[in-house]
Amino acid sequence: MLRKKLQHKNIILASGSPRRQQYFKELDLDFTIQLKEVEEVYPNHLKAEEITNFLSELKAAAFEHLNENDILITSDTIVWHEGKALGKPKDYEDAFQMLKSMSGKTHEVITSVSFKTNVKTETIFEITKVTFKEISDEAITYYLENYKPFDKAGSYGIQEWIGLIAISKIEGSYANVVGMPVDKVYDKLVEL
């Protein structure tokens, strides 16, 4: 459906995330992948979705020249927990501490998606609440050693083993936790 609607548009996904790329394939979209190196640094005063909005728009700003029929899509995800942003872990120890801190608690997964054309940039975001049951140190160690989630915000992938054994409740979009609020992205592309 979208393919026909957007047949005269050039969709550019600026994301190296295999999960986001898979979602775009599943939406049956023709798209290309273009990546630009961006230093993901944000002002300290930003909180929650202000961070992901800022970073998603920063990634979009790296693409200075777009053609009339281009739609560039950038995205950023963080885990927001106890007033702090948990991005991708620095190392094994950092990943372990992140998962330990979320054990038995609820955190928020926040994703922002920016849509840039040659005339404007619009950004949407989604917040999903995820509750972990208590996770043993042994389970955290097993997960980190076998799944190596070091490229993921908050050090976990909901679609992996840890999601099956440790998540007791989700409020909101599951797809958002995997990597992108696909329903909102779809609606925005229909609108564009």
Side-chain angles (χ1 to χ4, degrees), residues 22 29 40 58 68 76 118 124 129 148 155 164-165:
Q22 185 58 37
L29 278 173
E40 297 185 29
L58 187 70
E68 200 176 317
D76 193 78
N118 65 335
I124 60 170
K129 290 182 183 213
K148 303 185 179 5
S155 307
L164 298 173
I165 66 110

Side-chain angles (χ1 to χ4, degrees), residues 79-90:
V79 168
W80 185 253
H81 181 55
E82 297 179 335
K84 285 199 311 264
L86 306 182
K88 294 171 187 166
K90 293 189 279 293

Side-chain angles (χ1 to χ4, degrees), residues 22 28 44 52 63 86 89 101 110 119 141 152-153 158 178 188:
Q22 185 58 37
D28 193 30
N44 287 334
T52 52
F63 292 79
L86 306 182
S101 76
I110 306 171
V119 286
T141 301
K152 297 177 175 75
I158 193 171
V178 176
K188 194 59 164 173

Side-chain angles (χ1 to χ4, degrees), residues 8 22 44 79 83 85 95 115-117 125 134 144 162 184:
H8 302 299
Q22 185 58 37
N44 287 334
V79 168
F115 302 82
K116 183 176 180 176
T117 64
F125 70 90
E134 293 287 341
L144 294 177
I162 198 113
K184 283 190 172 180

